[in-house]
């Protein structure tokens, strides 16, 4: 008779469980959700936008040091959802790899190459017992010379896909349901529509209206392929545009929300 | 490979003589998406389901069937990330063979070397076996060949084979329909029908992948519109 789980270690390191699962990888996914932040990414016709919550748990913290949005090169951005410390390690390694790529091959590392590299590293952690998987889901954005705007998502299991829109974190599934409806007919969003879809998706899923200081927004645009983190003023412009687009029926809903929070 | 702290194998014998980690790896393969391969008289075809987790995923960014050399292709069932590692190692081994012998690697040799890698991960310290089975399709001087490699590192040559969720139905279907004299185009039709057997939802050029190689010895992955043409011929 087989001993089943090999001494019960299948929950501690990345070896197979009797059902053929890797529990450590599944727990890593849970760690991403436990961080309590939701992130959204949307790819438009000529731009990509990522949005995440900015929760500063302590008023004494320096807000400018709390960030999940990292430039990897001038042209590539990375939004990390999950454990902050793991995110910083990943960003550090990604920055190094992208710089070496540029040096070695003489051209900027494309989005999908970086995403593949991150995913392959994550796969190594799922196969070698001495390193645990990272508790981070990474969204990479950039403008590819041939394919245009690209948004990739890499997870602790080592999967990576290109996305038209996606989400990660606590309310991931709700956000994906919302985005599937919006992107059903393959719309070609302009830059403003892309940013506003991303922000309003986050607002809808978390059921709260944000102040500009409560979210982080990162963009890349075909006409300006540098990765940019939007300032609070720029975020405010988009938030205003979203609320002005609301019809009377949804304005009523908004006032209900204001009443509740008052 | 691995840290010295893990210089012991994680895949060890159970009292009954089984290597349970390998069995669990095979279970992981068995819960993966169905894939299959058929060897025809003048070529080989491999195919797989391509079910993506959401409509938001850009299906052009995903390719499950991969080219190892111009005349050898591969498809997997099981854990995608693990398959990427094997594809990378196999490609490198093929290049190293070419550099040394100045001729393309024979299919059997490449399969053997890939299988060796998979076996090493069942015995080395601090690593788990690969959670994939591979179907390698190639055409060299010995003619068309189809090999299946399992997580244990064992491999066999097949006339037709299937792996993944729907393996038993698919294999029964293939056993009934297999004919050694089949031409490649008919084999593609058989492959599509076999996939259709266990397919949930509407089959289309966007949710399956087909790769084939005929006696021009060039492995090709069909575009979604080429797959649609074959689907229309079958329907």
């Amino acid at each position: 008779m087989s001993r089943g789980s090999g001494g019960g270690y299948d929950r501690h390191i990345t070896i197979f469980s009797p059902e053929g699962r890797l529990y450590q990888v599944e727990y890593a996914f849970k760690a991403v959700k436990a961080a309590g932040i939701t992130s959204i990414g949307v790819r438009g016709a000529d731009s990509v936008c990522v949005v995440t919550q900015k929760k500063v748990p302590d008023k004494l913290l320096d807000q400018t040091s709390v960030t999940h949005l990292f430039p990897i090169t001038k042209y590539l951005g990375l939004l990390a959802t999950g454990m902050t410390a793991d995110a910083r390690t990943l960003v550090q390694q990604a920055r190094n790899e992208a710089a070496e790529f540029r040096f070695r091959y003489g051209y900027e590392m494309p989005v999908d190459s970086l995403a593949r590299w991150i995913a392959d590293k994550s796969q190594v952690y799922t196969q070698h017992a001495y390193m645990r998987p990272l508790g981070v889901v990474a969204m990479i954005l950039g403008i590819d010379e041939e394919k245009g705007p690209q948004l990739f998502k890499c997870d602790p299991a080592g999967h990576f896909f290109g996305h038209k829109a996606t989400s990660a974190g606590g309310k991931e599934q709700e956000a994906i349901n919302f985005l599937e409806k919006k992107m059903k007919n393959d719309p070609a969003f302009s830059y403003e529509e892309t940013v506003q879809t991303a922000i309003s998706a986050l607002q809808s899923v978390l059921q709260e209206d944000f102040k500009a200081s409560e979210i982080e927004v990162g963009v890349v645009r075909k006409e300006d392929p540098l990765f940019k983190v939007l300032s609070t003023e720029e975020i405010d412009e988009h938030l205003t545009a979203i609320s002005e687009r609301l019809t009377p029926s949804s304005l009523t809903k908004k006032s209900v929300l204001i009443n509740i929070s008052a | 490979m691995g840290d010295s702290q893990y210089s012991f194998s994680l895949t060890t014998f159970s009292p009954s003589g089984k290597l349970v980690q390998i069995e669990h790896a095979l279970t992981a393969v068995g819960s993966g998406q169905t894939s299959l391969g058929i060897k025809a008289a003048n070529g080989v075809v491999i195919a797989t389901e391509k079910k993506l987790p959401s409509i938001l995923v850009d299906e052009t960014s995903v390719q499950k069937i991969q080219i190892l050399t111009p005349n050898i292709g591969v498809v997997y069932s099981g854990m995608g990330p693990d398959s990427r590692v094997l594809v990378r190692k196999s490609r490198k081994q093929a290049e190293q063979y070419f550099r040394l012998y100045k001729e393309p690697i024979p299919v059997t040799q490449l399969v053997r070397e890939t299988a060796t890698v998979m076996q090493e991960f069942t015995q080395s310290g601090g690593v788990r076996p690969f959670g994939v089975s591979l179907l390698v399709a190639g055409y060299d001087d010995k003619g068309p060949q189809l090999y299946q490699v399992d997580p244990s590192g064992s491999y066999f040559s097949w006339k037709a084979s299937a792996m993944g969720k729907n393996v038993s139905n698919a294999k029964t279907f293939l056993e009934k329909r297999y004919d050694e004299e089949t031409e490649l185009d008919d084999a593609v039709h058989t492959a599509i029908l076999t996939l259709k057997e266990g397919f949930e939802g509407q089959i289309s050029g966007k949710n399956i992948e087909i790769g084939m190689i005929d006696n021009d010895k060039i492995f090709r992955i069909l575009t979604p519109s080429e797959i649609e043409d074959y689907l229309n011929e079958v329907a």
Side-chain angles (χ1 to χ4, degrees), chain A residues 33-53:
Chain A
K33 286 204 187 298
I37 306 247
T38 304
S39 312
I40 305 228
V42 177
R43 184 183 81 186
D46 53 16
S47 58
V48 188
C49 173
V50 291
V51 175
T52 186
Q53 292 172 267

Side-chain angles (χ1 to χ4, degrees), chain B residues 148-168:
Chain B
Q148 180 174 333
V149 196
D150 284 334
S152 58
S154 64
Y155 62 94
F156 295 102
S157 175
W158 290 79
K159 300 172 193 171
S161 183
M163 337 181 283
K165 260 191 266 223
N166 207 32
V167 59
S168 40

Side-chain angles (χ1 to χ4, degrees), chain B residues 14-234:
Chain B
S14 71
S16 59
K18 291 201 278 194
L19 290 167
V20 276
Q21 275 295 300
I22 297 180
E23 313 247 324
H24 301 337
L26 284 162
T27 314
V29 172
S31 47
Q33 291 178 16
T34 312
S35 57
L36 55 95
I38 304 177
K39 186 168 68 175
N42 59 336
V44 194
V45 58
I46 51 177
T48 180
E49 288 181 358
K50 186 161 86 170
K51 288 264 180 63
L52 296 167
S54 156
I55 57 164
L56 295 172
V57 173
D58 184 352
E59 73 277 357
T60 59
S61 75
V62 179
Q63 196 164 73
K64 288 177 72 174
I65 298 186
Q66 294 283 339
I67 300 182
L68 297 181
T69 71
N71 65 327
I72 306 176
V74 67
V75 72
Y76 71 92
S77 272
M79 303 166 76
D82 286 10
S83 79
R84 287 204 306 272
V85 175
L86 290 169
V87 165
R88 173 168 289 145
K89 286 199 203 268
S90 305
R91 284 173 174 165
K92 195 165 184 184
Q93 283 162 340
E95 275 305 306
Q96 286 171 338
Y97 183 101
F98 183 82
R99 188 154 63 106
L100 184 53
Y101 297 106
K102 286 294 183 269
E103 64 170 50
I105 189 169
V107 185
T108 43
Q109 303 276 43
L110 185 56
V111 169
R112 196 165 50 78
E113 292 190 17
T114 308
T116 307
V117 170
M118 292 171 84
Q119 189 283 335
E120 280 170 6
F121 275 71
T122 68
Q123 201 175 11
S124 302
V127 291
R128 62 162 173 81
F130 284 97
V132 285
S133 281
L134 303 174
L135 272 173
V136 182
Y139 203 129
D140 61 18
D141 299 327
K142 298 204 186 69
Q145 291 159 79
L146 177 69
Y147 284 91
Q148 180 174 333
V149 196
D150 284 334
S152 58
S154 64
Y155 62 94
F156 295 102
S157 175
W158 290 79
K159 300 172 193 171
S161 183
M163 337 181 283
K165 260 191 266 223
N166 207 32
V167 59
S168 40
N169 288 342
K171 278 199 170 166
T172 318
F173 192 89
L174 286 170
E175 275 173 25
K176 274 193 224 136
R177 292 205 157 212
Y178 185 75
D179 175 9
E180 293 202 344
E181 321 281 310
T182 324
E183 294 274 309
L184 187 57
D185 270 344
D186 294 326
V188 178
H189 292 142
T190 311
I192 291 177
L193 288 168
T194 319
L195 274 181
K196 237 182 168 177
E197 277 287 296
F199 204 88
E200 289 163 21
Q202 180 71 352
I203 202 169
S204 82
K206 285 195 184 168
N207 50 25
I208 60 170
E209 270 185 42
I210 301 182
M212 55 200 268
I213 181 166
D214 62 33
N215 43 20
D216 65 359
K217 296 196 193 152
I218 299 183
F219 186 83
R220 275 189 337 274
I221 301 175
L222 300 183
T223 64
S225 48
E226 286 172 326
I227 298 178
E228 289 285 348
D229 291 339
Y230 275 106
L231 281 170
N232 292 332
E233 287 172 23
V234 163

Side-chain angles (χ1 to χ4, degrees), chain A residues 71-73 76 78 87-101 109 114-115 117-118 121 138 140:
Chain A
I72 303 296
T73 66
L76 295 176
L78 190 153
R88 286 188 192 271
T89 313
L90 181 63
V91 165
Q92 194 63 16
Q93 293 173 349
R95 284 174 174 164
N96 191 54
E97 182 59 26
E100 278 187 17
F101 187 102
M109 190 169 199
L114 181 61
W117 182 84
I118 291 177
K121 226 171 197 284
I140 326 282

